[in-house]
């Protein structure tokens, strides 16, 4: 990483520590904000956070590796999480999964080369009456069918606009609440 | 904002105007307040069914360390497969949930409240934050709530990060403390050693909303519904093979058959009650009651039609637990893996009856020896499916599974 | 004389006691004081203090409950579940190690459910434990193996992994991680994070993918591991072991062109008997000398010789620093820190590098010995130093790293070629067919001969300080130390309290400075009326307490001299010592060490005749002189804690 961007990341983390506090119970909110801003909690950030909070880097890594929504490896700007719980499976998740893979050209657990999309399985999304359910960042799609997949992917590209093409350039606000909140998608697309 | 409306029956909560329950509660002394909850016979709505008043009494009596305070935590880590009623409550009835937290705070003497919202519900956060801001402006949160001198209480939202086990209350507290979400040894219980080692009440979203309803309508009205040991109404999250999946409100104690009639699932061959950690009830047992004294549940009902492959169902659940176990204790970490392996063997027609019997005993070991509720309940689905559907589980053709010998 | 204990403003936590800790329950333990409760275990009644674990209660009535993740030095985890028992009225089984007794209970420890659960748990562990007992360092000293035997495992009920899934991490000179054998009891994690506060090992991942690993799964040599090996001592299986170089040592012994000498530290002698089935605390010094000769070492020397030498070098260095500070009024790095524990040294280099100037520049006794052997000893005996192989028998895994430090070659050769642990030496002795306990005793070889009692006590926490004080008091005051402390036992610095601070007013100063150091310190007058403040800390968690206090300008920053040991209990609890370890075992070893000191003819380093001869024959410009600086002193590396 370039020295300049390291310095910026360090400043961002200090700001987060100012906001959330310097005690261990601030760890998760800090990591969540970093994940939202950086699409991951990178190596350097884990060490800075550990230092600021008086923890060992291994402890921070232990936490990051425990939670499904945190990752030290870069994820796509859009993380597509398809629910794999039984209720959705009964509503035929499998063909949707195949079509997502086909549309994005990646398998589950992978990220597209352009860094835009990551495809993942999710534990129950709590939309069991309207499966198959798909969570894209903080946007929900219900009753997804294979023929809707293309539109959903396009939808993402449109909604999030051009800045999506630069996944590694975090914008200044790092608090998720500061991100524009897309409206919840209609139940029946 | 377009709302995903899952409600299929009118809910008691529809009839309760915001503020009424809290106002009624704040008229009472703290001991009368807990007595009212006790009189309602309310038991926790998250699934375990611990009497709410008992929990509050313990926390009320527990001591706080110097410079610290007690906590009320709303468990909104609704991760049990097939459960989505808390999402509906947080979307439609958030004021009632926050009122319930405030009532709990008054009862135990807490000054801080935390809503632990699962990461998958991230889209609910902005409206919930807005609601909290509104309550602060209205004086329903903050200092001297309800003009009661010295009753200070505020609520913050903390996000989960994708870990089912954090629905277990001690894992949730570990997570709040910035740790890996690994359940603690109990005792001590959170009511005396919880968040930051202080007395902490952890209640489910529905429990807290129900508390508000109890104060709005009176404990007698609540207790008039349901059975002696399972009082009141309860929300059910219904999904799977039925005509009208969604959220239903019924008094506790109705039979599965009655429920299936209401949701249009009468031809079901089995119902999974209580989600992945619950039990699979076959058609011949549909007269069993949904109540703490019979089939206890947090409200997840998954209906399986006649054509469903029950081994595939068990496989789905075990894949879930293999990943969602916190990985701390041996029976759960290794046991779920072995049960899943067993299912794959059954699928390929490679599992002897003797080994299957050993796996069932392993399931019993997991129920008995695991550290927390996750491992203690994760073999339930496997065990009940093997028990009730042996003809589906055994004797699978190796070739049919696509195998070569 | 006053003793200050447990005053630590500026630190966030109380010092870590090295004694077993009770469960943190009930939370308000003041309520429990004096409170007792009765428990019935398998029909036997016993009264225990409220909050006692079921495991402890069962011990009281002689009921054995198997454990695995439980360790007397560590916080309770309750994760392996092998200690589950049936408590009447409880739906599920309870982990005896983690279940506090707060009300009368009836407990059953071997019902069908309990037996089945334990058997299954052992079977589950074996199903992922990859490795054969025959080819394991811990064969016959493995808690998993013992459990398998206790529970009659005669086949792998849930299968068994036969091929390796995880490559061994052999990057470290000191610690090898063979994670194929890990059963995730997390003792190493609790050792590294809680006991030592180094924080290199942690549970990573979740569910069935959970593993014990390092930051970003890096090799041990790439992270901030201090090589203390405490994790090895607490690993129940062979997943962690020291990087064994005994094959190379055998090769040297077998090579007729090599002159192989071994130095033995005091702690291995106090503990090696444990590897031969003896109770802890039986000293084996004389027998070990005989065994090493039988095994083929050409000479057997006592590391205590250089321990005494260290006292003279380090003691002189301290007097010089005090003189610089008090007389020359120069900015001087004080307190001076001891530098004989390589685990502690690396800890400081990583976490407090700005305090490197405070570390004594004196090499550790092991390294001094190597340097003396390859110079003076070689000259004296007409042996080409390139043909000398120096081996060090140490209680320590970090010594393996230390002897491989690039700066440790001022003799022109590697000062010490191989460091062996107590465990590895026991193995070599067994391999040679020698039964150690029944051997006749013999002495150490000349020219170093038998050292002093001061050298011996280097093995226990507080020992270096006591040895230094014996010498400094006599040199500075001109009084016999026995006048101030009965039998020259400086008891206030002894014991297992995590951190100890002692104030020592100097009652008078000697009229004349001994010649050997007069050129550094012409007069002791400047010490008149000074109160010498010294402190002792053992285990890096306690070292951290003290360092944080110093950083914050607390009372420890006013000390003159601080002894730091990387391991709990000092060297006798080192990462190369026999397994198992516990507070009781370490106490027994300490007893053996202090007994050896009490029985020594000479008990003060400055009276060691061989040391004095070294200064007259070889290091003629005295302690901290030019030659000694070249050979016996070293420098350190600012490592920092940034990884990668």
């Amino acid at each position: 990483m370039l020295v300049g961007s390291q310095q910026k990341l360090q400043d961002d983390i200090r700001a987060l520590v100012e906001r959330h506090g310097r005690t261990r119970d601030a760890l998760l909110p800090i990591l969540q904000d970093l994940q939202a801003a950086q699409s991951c909690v990178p190596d350097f950030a884990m060490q800075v956070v550990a230092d600021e909070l008086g923890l060992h880097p291994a402890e921070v890594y232990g936490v990051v590796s425990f939670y499904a929504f945190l990752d030290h490896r870069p994820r796509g700007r859009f993380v597509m999480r398809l629910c794999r719980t039984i209720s959705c499976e009964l509503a035929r998740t499998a063909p949707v999964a195949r079509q997502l893979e086909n549309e994005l050209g990646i398998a589950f657990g992978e990220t597209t080369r352009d860094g835009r999309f990551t495809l993942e399985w999710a534990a129950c999304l709590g939309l069991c009456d309207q499966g198959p359910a798909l969570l894209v960042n903080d946007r929900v799609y219900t009753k997804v069918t294979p023929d809707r997949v293309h539109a959903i992917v396009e939808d993402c590209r449109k909604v999030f606009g051009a800045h999506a093409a630069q996944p590694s350039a975090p914008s200044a606000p790092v608090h998720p609440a500061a991100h524009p909140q897309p409206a919840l998608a209609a139940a029946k697309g | 904002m377009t709302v995903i409306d899952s409600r299929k029956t009118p809910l008691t909560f529809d009839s309760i105007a915001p503020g009424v329950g809290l106002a009624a509660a704040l008229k009472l002394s703290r001991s009368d307040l807990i007595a009212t909850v006790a009189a309602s016979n309310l038991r926790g709505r998250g699934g375990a069914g611990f009497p709410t008043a008992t929990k509050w009494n313990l926390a009320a009596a527990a001591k706080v360390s110097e410079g610290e305070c007690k906590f009320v935590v709303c468990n909104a880590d609704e991760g049990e497969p097939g459960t989505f009623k808390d999402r509906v409550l947080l979307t439609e009835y958030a004021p009632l949930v926050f009122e319930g937290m405030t009532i709990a705070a008054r009862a135990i003497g807490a000054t801080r409240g935390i809503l632990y919202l699962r990461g998958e519900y991230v889209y609910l956060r902005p409206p919930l934050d807005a609601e909290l801001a509104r309550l602060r402006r209205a004086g329903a949160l903050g200092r001297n709530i309800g003009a009661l001198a010295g009753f200070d209480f505020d609520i913050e939202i903390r996000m989960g990060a994708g870990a089912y086990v954090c629905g277990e209350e001690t894992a949730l507290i570990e997570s709040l403390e910035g740790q890996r979400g690994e359940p603690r040894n109990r005792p001590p219980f959170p009511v005396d050693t919880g968040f930051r080692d202080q007395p902490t009440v952890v209640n489910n979203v529905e429990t807290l909303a129900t508390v508000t309803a109890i104060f709005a309508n009176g404990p007698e009205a609540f207790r008039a519904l349901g059975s002696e040991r399972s009082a009141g109404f309860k929300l059910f999250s219904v999904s799977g093979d039925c005509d009208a999946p969604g959220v239903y409100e019924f008094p506790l104690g109705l039979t599965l058959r009655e429920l299936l009639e209401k949701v249009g699932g009468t031809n079901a061959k089995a119902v999974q009650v209580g989600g992945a950690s619950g039990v699979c009830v076959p058609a011949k047992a549909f007269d069993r009651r949904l109540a703490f004294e019979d089939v206890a549940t947090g409200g997840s009902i998954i209906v399986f039609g006649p054509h469903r492959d029950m081994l595939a169902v068990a496989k789905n659940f075990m894949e879930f637990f293999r990943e969602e176990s916190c990985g701390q204790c041996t029976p759960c970490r290794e046991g779920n893996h072995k049960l899943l392996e067993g299912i794959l063997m059954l699928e390929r027609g490679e599992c002897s009856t003797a080994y299957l019997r050993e796996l069932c005993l392993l399931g019993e070991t997991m129920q008995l020896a695991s550290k927390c509720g996750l491992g203690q309940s994760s073999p339930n689905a496997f065990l009940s499916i093997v028990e009730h559907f042996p003809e589906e589980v055994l004797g699978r053709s190796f070739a049919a599974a696509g195998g070569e010998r | 004389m006053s003793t200050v204990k447990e005053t630590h403003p500026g630190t966030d936590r109380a010092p870590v006691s090295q004694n077993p800790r009770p469960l943190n329950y009930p939370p308000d333990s003041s309520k429990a004081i004096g409170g007792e409760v009765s428990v019935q275990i398998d029909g036997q009644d016993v009264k225990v203090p409220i909050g006692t674990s079921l495991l402890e209660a069962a011990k009281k009535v002689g009921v054995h409950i198997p454990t695995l993740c439980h360790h007397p030095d560590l916080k309770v985890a309750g994760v392996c579940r092998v200690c589950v028992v049936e408590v009447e009225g409880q739906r599920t089984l309870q982990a005896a190690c983690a279940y506090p007794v707060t009300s009368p209970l009836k407990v059953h420890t071997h019902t069908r459910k309990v037996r089945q659960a334990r058997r299954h748990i052992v079977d589950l562990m074996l199903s992922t434990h990859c490795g054969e007992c025959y080819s394991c360092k811990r064969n016959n000293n493995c808690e998993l193996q013992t459990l398998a035997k206790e529970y009659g495992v005669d086949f792998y009920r849930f299968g068994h992994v036969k091929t390796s899934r995880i490559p061994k991490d052999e990057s470290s000179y000191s610690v090898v991680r063979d994670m194929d054998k890990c059963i995730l009891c997390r003792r190493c994690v609790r050792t590294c994070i809680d006991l030592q506060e180094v924080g290199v090992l942690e549970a990573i991942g979740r569910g069935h993918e959970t593993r014990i690993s390092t930051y970003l799964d890096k090799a041990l040599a790439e992270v901030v591991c201090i090589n203390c090996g405490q994790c090895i001592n607490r690993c129940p299986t062979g997943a962690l072991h020291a990087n064994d170089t005994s094959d190379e040592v055998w090769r040297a012994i077998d090579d007729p062109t090599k002159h192989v000498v071994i130095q033995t530290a005091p702690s291995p002698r106090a503990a090696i008997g444990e590897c031969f089935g003896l109770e802890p605390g039986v000293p084996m010094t004389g027998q070990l000398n005989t065994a090493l000769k039988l095994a083929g070492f050409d000479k057997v020397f006592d590391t205590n010789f250089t321990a005494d030498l260290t006292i003279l070098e380090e003691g002189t260095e301290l007097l010089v620093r005090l003189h610089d500070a008090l007389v020359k009024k120069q900015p001087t790095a004080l307190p001076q820190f001891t530098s004989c524990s390589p685990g502690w040294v690396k800890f400081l280099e990583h976490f407090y590098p700005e305090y490197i100037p405070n570390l004594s520049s004196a090499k550790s006794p092991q390294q001094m010995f190597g340097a003396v052997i390859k110079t003076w000893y070689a000259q004296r005996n007409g042996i080409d130093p390139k043909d000398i192989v120096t081996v060090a028998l140490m209680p320590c895994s970090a010594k393996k790293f230390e002897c491989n430090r690039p700066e440790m070659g001022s003799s022109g050769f590697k000062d010490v070629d191989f460091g062996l642990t107590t465990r590895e030496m026991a193995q070599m002795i067994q391999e040679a067919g020698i039964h150690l306990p029944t051997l006749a005793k013999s002495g150490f070889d000349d020219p170093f001969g038998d050292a002093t009692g001061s050298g011996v006590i280097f093995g226990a926490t507080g020992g270096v300080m006591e040895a230094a004080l014996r010498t400094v008091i006599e040199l500075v005051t001109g009084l016999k130390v026995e006048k101030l402390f009965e039998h020259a036992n400086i008891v206030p610095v002894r014991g297992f309290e995590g951190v100890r601070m002692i104030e020592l007013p100097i009652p008078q100063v000697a009229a004349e400075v001994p010649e050997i150091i007069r050129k550094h310190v012409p007069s002791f007058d400047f010490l008149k009326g000074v109160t010498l403040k010294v402190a002792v800390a053992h285990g890096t968690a306690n070292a951290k307490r003290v360092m944080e206090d110093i950083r914050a300008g607390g009372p420890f920053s006013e000390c003159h001299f601080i002894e730091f040991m990387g391991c709990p209990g000092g060297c006798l609890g080192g990462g190369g010592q026999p397994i198992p370890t516990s507070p009781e075992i370490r106490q027994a070893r300490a007893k053996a060490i202090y007994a050896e000191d009490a029985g020594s003819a000479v008990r003060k380093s400055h009276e060691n005749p061989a040391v004095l001869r070294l200064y007259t024959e070889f290091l003629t410009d005295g302690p901290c002189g030019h030659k000694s600086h070249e050979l016996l002193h070293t420098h350190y590396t600012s490592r920092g804690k940034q990884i990668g």
Side-chain angles (χ1 to χ4, degrees), chain C residues 44 78 84 107 119 132 190 230 257 292 335 344 355 357 386 394 399 408 430 436 439 469 524 526 545:
Chain C
Q44 301 185 71
V84 286
V107 180
R119 175 72 202 265
E132 295 280 358
R190 284 173 283 152
Q230 290 299 309
T257 65
L292 295 174
W344 148 249
Y355 286 95
K386 80 169 169 38
M394 293 286 148
K399 288 282 172 196
M408 293 296 180
Q430 274 163 1
L436 181 76
L439 291 180
L469 288 178
F524 284 141
F526 73 101
R545 294 289 98 69

Side-chain angles (χ1 to χ4, degrees), chain C residues 470 473-474 479-489 603-604 607:
Chain C
R470 285 178 188 170
I473 287 172
E474 294 211 346
L479 295 169
K480 282 279 158 200
V481 77
E482 286 82 350
K483 290 223 162 192
L484 299 169
F485 297 95
E486 211 178 323
H487 302 301
N489 292 337
R603 297 186 58 211
K604 296 159 203 165
E607 294 173 356

Side-chain angles (χ1 to χ4, degrees), chain B residues 150-189:
Chain B
F151 179 33
D152 302 341
F153 181 67
D154 208 339
I155 298 172
E156 61 179 303
I157 296 176
R158 292 280 299 265
M159 298 302 298
Y164 165 79
V165 69
C166 289
E168 200 278 344
E169 59 177 359
T170 61
L172 189 155
I173 290 169
E174 286 286 299
S175 178
L176 284 178
E177 291 183 357
Q179 306 278 355
R180 297 161 55 82
E182 294 172 345
R184 297 176 174 176
N185 290 304
R186 295 140 49 110
F189 295 95

Side-chain angles (χ1 to χ4, degrees), chain B residues 362-384:
Chain B
L362 173 62
E364 186 195 23
T365 291
M366 292 163 66
Q367 289 173 327
L368 289 169
S370 294
K371 186 169 179 176
C372 81
L374 190 156
Q376 287 163 11
S377 60
S378 62
N380 291 350
F382 173 89
L383 292 174
S384 48

Side-chain angles (χ1 to χ4, degrees), chain C residues 203-448:
Chain C
I204 305 297
R206 182 177 80 192
H208 194 254
E209 309 305 322
T210 308
R211 62 191 182 276
I212 305 302
S213 193
T214 57
Y215 178 68
L216 289 176
D217 304 284
K218 288 175 187 284
L220 212 46
E222 293 172 36
V223 294
V224 293
C225 175
I226 62 165
N227 304 312
C228 69
Q230 290 299 309
C231 52
I232 300 175
N233 287 4
R234 288 169 185 80
C235 179
T237 72
L240 294 166
H241 58 84
N243 203 336
D244 190 350
T245 46
S246 53
D247 281 347
E248 279 106 313
V249 174
W250 277 127
R251 247 197 307 280
I253 290 175
D254 294 340
D255 184 343
T257 65
K258 297 293 182 198
H259 181 74
V260 186
V261 304
I262 185 164
Q263 49 164 315
T264 78
S267 290
R269 308 168 200 158
I272 196 165
E274 295 164 37
C275 297
F276 292 85
L278 301 183
E279 286 297 304
V282 182
M284 284 281 115
T285 312
Q287 293 89 331
L288 184 61
N289 289 346
T290 310
L292 295 174
K293 283 292 183 55
L294 287 174
F297 289 98
D298 295 304
K299 295 284 175 189
V300 180
F301 299 136
D302 188 349
T303 305
N304 295 346
F305 166 76
T306 37
D308 286 333
L309 193 58
T310 301
I311 289 301
L312 288 178
E313 292 293 334
E314 207 165 303
T316 304
E317 186 184 353
L318 175 65
L319 290 171
V320 170
R321 286 191 198 221
L322 291 174
H323 190 256
D324 284 350
L326 299 175
V327 178
K328 296 188 186 165
K329 309 283 181 201
Q330 284 176 357
T332 310
L334 281 171
Q336 177 175 300
F337 302 154
T338 58
S339 61
C340 16
S341 164
W344 148 249
V345 167
K346 192 154 183 265
F347 183 82
L348 184 106
E349 288 175 331
H350 279 304
F351 298 104
Y352 300 95
E354 70 272 29
Y355 286 95
I356 282 176
N358 296 59
L359 266 182
S360 163
S361 63
K363 285 182 183 173
S364 70
Q366 163 178 293
Q367 293 307 126
M368 282 195 185
F369 219 133
V372 169
I373 285 169
K374 295 212 173 166
T375 53
W376 186 54
Y377 174 81
Q379 279 172 30
R380 238 176 153 260
N381 293 277
I383 308 171
D384 187 340
K386 80 169 169 38
D387 292 329
I388 300 179
V389 176
T390 55
V391 180
L393 169 58
M394 293 286 148
C396 185
S397 51
K399 288 282 172 196
K400 291 170 181 282
F401 173 84
E402 185 186 39
C403 75
N404 283 294
R405 278 176 177 258
E407 62 271 24
M408 293 296 180
S410 47
S411 59
F413 301 89
K414 200 175 164 195
D415 290 346
V416 173
D417 294 285
F418 303 108
L420 290 179
T421 64
T422 312
R423 298 186 296 265
E424 287 155 4
M425 183 50 71
Q427 175 62 47
M428 288 181 73
I429 291 171
Q430 274 163 1
E431 205 176 336
I434 300 163
H435 186 58
L436 181 76
T438 52
L439 291 180
K441 296 180 184 180
S442 58
F444 289 100
D445 286 317
D446 282 330
F448 305 109

